[in-house]
Amino acid sequence: MADETIGIVGAGIVGLATGRESALRRPGTRVVVLEKEREVAVHQTGHNSGVVHAGIYYAPGSLKAELCVRGVAVLREYCQDRGLPYEQIGKLVVAVREDELGRMDNLYARARNNHVPDLRKISKEEIKELEPHAGGIAALHSPRTAITDYPAIAREFARDIEASGGEVKLGFPVTSITTVPGGIEVASGQERVRVDRLILCAGLHSDAVAKLAQDKREPKIIPFRGEYMLLKPERTDLVRGLIYPVPDPRYPFLGVHFTPRVDGSVEVGPNAVLALAREGYRLSRFSLKDLAGLAAYPGSWKMAAQHWRTGIKEYRSSLSMAAFMKDAELYVPGVGVRDVVRGGAGVRAQALDPDGTLVDDFRIHQVGRITAVRNAPSPAATASMAIAEHIVDAVLDDASAI
């Protein structure tokens, strides 16, 4: 594989980490990253909350669990080496009702199976010692959970690729992918790039780009918008570290939580509402093409039948700041609309199977010389360097078999 050209579609953190890992592992290999935007890390990476997850939530034995725990270690080392922000501020996963204690215990057992370091159960009194303004009757404390700046990390990855002799080619929306003798031709209109192998890390457009590569239709990407409030600057002292709810295992989202950022701000959120466009960062943004694609996919209707009650609740929180903050007040009693302003929003690329199941684990397909990352939700940013190792391992194994 040495002296080959590896193409990467997508300059988010996973694509850039994969390009960097490809260049490091095979000196002489040229990497070219193809990105439709005019800068890197515009979409999911650029709207990330900045949390470095410790591995608490993920099913033992899953790719998420394996790659998150590995990813934390290499990401921390990378940030320290490059002088990038990495602050271990800790996380509380807080139970506010008696009926959540069993779920919290299950979460603790899962996290221990995933070798989450220094995790412990704490009492109501111990919660107050760590977070004087927090509510709750019991919690899990993860002191190693950290925050960072993922766009800055992605930009550093891009510099690494260029320093290795590779290229990050911006303003290159992929319109076709064609297998040719001995390689692959990737086109953007009339412009063409020929590569020996291709890795698709297209995030919100991963299913559409995979279709160009003749991968199967499923899973389909469903965009969910997550909206945030920001604590007013004079109220950021209400929170010291990360404060999360005990998640509902029936739903892949973690619920409204409090997230300090490396810039000193504190986010509250996100909710999770179905976006009306793949890049629907605002409620008013919609795409007839994207909506038609959702309506034509059987899994969309099955998902709606399973989760319509939750969907209504989430839309209510989108329209009403009071409804949004009602959940947040369970974890920091007394915090309300007067303490926040509307913040930004991100869109999560959530993969959906035809039976209406929201795909939880990372999912990666192989189509000849093409590797397609079809589902990489949270903790993909945390795990990005480990995901890159995993992908490059698979590409190297496949290359040795040819």
Side-chain angles (χ1 to χ4, degrees), residues 19-91:
R20 174 184 177 274
E21 184 70 15
S22 299
L24 285 174
R25 294 272 288 278
R26 297 290 289 186
T29 295
R30 182 173 182 272
V31 171
V32 55
V33 180
L34 307 171
E35 168 57 48
K36 74 183 183 72
E37 304 293 352
R38 294 292 177 180
E39 57 185 298
V40 305
V42 167
H43 293 293
Q44 291 184 102
T45 304
H47 293 82
N48 193 288
S49 65
V51 178
V52 182
H53 292 281
I56 295 173
Y57 307 103
Y58 317 119
S62 66
L63 265 182
K64 270 190 175 183
E66 174 191 343
L67 299 181
C68 180
V69 173
R70 166 64 181 162
V72 171
V74 290
L75 187 72
R76 180 175 60 244
E77 182 179 350
Y78 185 82
C79 288
Q80 292 170 347
D81 181 60
R82 300 302 177 92
L84 295 167
Y86 191 96
E87 301 174 21
Q88 289 187 167
I89 62 172
K91 174 195 284 188

Side-chain angles (χ1 to χ4, degrees), residues 59-343:
S62 66
L63 265 182
K64 270 190 175 183
E66 174 191 343
L67 299 181
C68 180
V69 173
R70 166 64 181 162
V72 171
V74 290
L75 187 72
R76 180 175 60 244
E77 182 179 350
Y78 185 82
C79 288
Q80 292 170 347
D81 181 60
R82 300 302 177 92
L84 295 167
Y86 191 96
E87 301 174 21
Q88 289 187 167
I89 62 172
K91 174 195 284 188
L92 291 181
V93 181
V94 179
V96 295
R97 300 187 307 271
E98 292 286 340
D99 63 3
E100 293 180 328
L101 294 176
R103 295 210 317 259
M104 191 185 80
D105 288 341
N106 292 337
L107 198 63
Y108 178 76
R110 173 174 284 196
R112 290 294 296 268
N113 282 332
N114 291 341
H115 306 291
V116 174
D118 302 330
L119 185 75
R120 64 191 182 103
K121 298 179 184 180
I122 64 172
S123 66
K124 181 177 181 178
E125 292 71 29
E126 289 173 300
I127 291 173
K128 290 295 185 184
E129 291 175 9
L130 293 167
E131 292 284 358
H133 301 285
I137 58 175
L140 301 180
H141 180 222
S142 171
R144 299 284 193 92
T145 299
I147 56 174
T148 189
D149 183 340
Y150 286 118
I153 294 170
R155 291 190 292 270
E156 192 73 9
F157 287 166
R159 284 190 281 269
D160 290 343
I161 290 168
E162 291 169 341
S164 74
E167 179 184 7
V168 179
K169 194 174 183 62
L170 302 174
F172 192 99
V174 173
T175 55
S176 70
I177 297 171
T178 307
T179 299
V180 296
I184 301 142
E185 190 175 79
V186 186
S188 179
Q190 297 302 310
E191 188 176 3
R192 284 166 169 72
V193 173
R194 189 190 182 285
V195 298
D196 297 285
R197 296 183 180 277
L198 185 65
I199 302 169
L200 309 180
C201 302
L204 288 162
H205 301 273
S206 60
D207 54 347
V209 174
K211 182 179 178 182
L212 297 177
Q214 307 303 309
D215 193 12
K216 61 183 180 180
R217 183 186 186 195
E218 300 85 16
K220 183 172 180 59
I221 291 299
I222 306 296
F224 281 92
R225 186 174 61 256
E227 301 159 330
Y228 290 89
M229 302 294 172
L230 284 172
L231 286 181
K232 292 178 179 177
E234 64 271 21
R235 301 296 279 163
T236 56
D237 60 353
L238 290 172
V239 176
R240 294 177 176 177
L242 299 149
I243 303 175
Y244 277 58
V246 176
D248 185 338
R250 297 170 299 175
Y251 210 55
F253 307 108
L254 295 177
V256 169
H257 46 270
F258 290 80
T259 307
R261 303 295 300 266
V262 294
D263 64 3
S265 63
V266 177
E267 289 182 331
V268 186
N271 57 4
V273 298
L274 184 66
L276 304 182
R278 289 180 188 254
E279 298 172 15
Y281 298 106
R282 299 185 305 278
L283 186 63
S284 59
R285 175 77 183 274
F286 69 93
S287 162
L288 291 176
K289 179 181 177 182
D290 292 344
L291 288 173
L294 286 176
Y297 188 62
S300 301
W301 299 100
K302 294 174 182 177
M303 177 191 69
Q306 294 174 43
H307 299 295
W308 65 271
R309 289 183 180 84
T310 301
I312 290 173
K313 177 178 177 291
E314 295 293 314
Y315 269 109
R316 187 180 298 122
S317 74
S318 179
L319 296 170
S320 165
M321 289 179 69
F324 191 107
M325 294 304 296
K326 184 178 180 181
D327 284 343
E329 190 176 6
L330 294 172
Y331 303 95
V332 179
V335 72
V337 172
R338 66 188 178 281
D339 302 305
V340 296
V341 295
R342 286 195 177 272

